[in-house]
Amino acid sequence: MKIYLIIIVVCLISYSLFSSYLAAKERHAEEVKKQLELEEHEKTKQVIAESVARILNK
């Protein structure tokens, strides 16, 4: 009977650790996505600023 309890405890701990790992992986993916969106936004702002500067210099 002790072996069954040990197996159940090990399974529960493994499940908990795996769930935490998946949640951390998902949070990291969201952070990377936000960072890429910010970089894209900054590039767009820079292109617009350069275009306006070229128009004003003509």
Side-chain angles (χ1 to χ4, degrees):
M1 188 67 175
K2 277 186 173 180
I3 292 182
Y4 291 122
L5 290 176
I6 292 171
I7 291 173
I8 290 172
V9 168
V10 168
C11 288
L12 290 174
I13 291 171
S14 298
Y15 174 76
S16 176
L17 291 173
F18 187 66
S19 295
S20 297
Y21 165 76
L22 289 180
K25 188 175 177 182
E26 185 176 333
R27 280 193 304 272
H28 177 70
E30 289 174 4
E31 289 174 5
V32 169
K33 182 179 177 184
K34 285 181 184 179
Q35 184 64 32
L36 290 175
E37 288 174 354
L38 285 174
E39 289 174 3
E40 183 178 332
H41 182 67
E42 289 298 321
K43 287 179 184 176
T44 303
K45 283 177 27 180
Q46 182 179 3
V47 168
I48 291 171
E50 290 172 357
S51 297
V52 169
R54 268 189 258 127
I55 290 171
L56 292 177
N57 287 335
K58 287 186 177 182

